[in-house]
Amino acid sequence: QVHLVESGGGLVQPGGSLTLTCTASGNNICFSAMAWYRQVPGKDREVVGVFTEAQTTLFIESVKGRFTISRDDAENTFYLQMNNLKPEDTAVYYCNADSSSVRAICHMEWGQGTQVTVTS
């Protein structure tokens, strides 16, 4: 019943900025801790950053200081603000619950993601 839709991706030059949006519909309890993920061809999907139940954020080292996560609980909308983008940030970006258990219980399947391409 939970649906996740990512948007906002596109083509951007190195050093540019981009904001991704995740719109979620379904049970609010399923969205207590959300995360942004990304995947490139030939590699496993990896977590990029997490917005925790404590309203804090955590990021992988490679994006720390460049990416920020925010959310609008009233609209079940989540954002990934990406600054100083680098070519290695190129990937398909997804949003979903941080916990695999929550994803299973809430039937939170992966959306189609949004493509981010960073190139000069």
Side-chain angles (χ1 to χ4, degrees):
Q1 292 184 334
V2 172
H3 299 280
L4 302 167
V5 180
E6 300 92 351
S7 62
L11 180 66
V12 65
Q13 294 184 347
S17 298
L18 205 61
T19 299
L20 306 184
T21 300
C22 170
T23 57
S25 61
N27 297 325
N28 292 343
I29 194 173
C30 299
F31 312 135
S32 59
M34 295 290 292
W36 282 95
Y37 302 80
R38 67 186 181 187
Q39 186 174 33
V40 300
K43 297 182 63 177
D44 294 333
R45 181 183 290 112
E46 67 171 349
V47 66
V48 176
V50 179
F51 194 104
T52 72
E53 293 180 349
Q55 309 298 302
T56 61
T57 56
L58 297 168
F59 297 94
I60 58 175
E61 189 68 27
S62 62
V63 308
K64 192 177 301 181
R66 299 189 296 117
F67 290 10
T68 59
I69 295 176
S70 60
R71 64 187 296 169
D72 183 348
D73 291 338
E75 299 182 0
N76 289 334
T77 303
F78 309 88
Y79 305 94
L80 178 65
Q81 176 65 50
M82 304 182 294
N83 300 315
N84 300 318
L85 282 163
K86 302 176 180 180
E88 51 264 41
D89 295 319
T90 296
V92 178
Y93 285 73
Y94 304 85
C95 64
N96 213 322
D98 178 53
S99 168
S100 61
S101 298
V102 173
R103 294 198 298 270
I105 294 172
C106 292
H107 304 284
M108 298 176 68
E109 298 182 357
W110 299 97
Q112 64 178 276
T114 184
Q115 175 72 50
V116 173
T117 302
V118 185
T119 181
S120 60

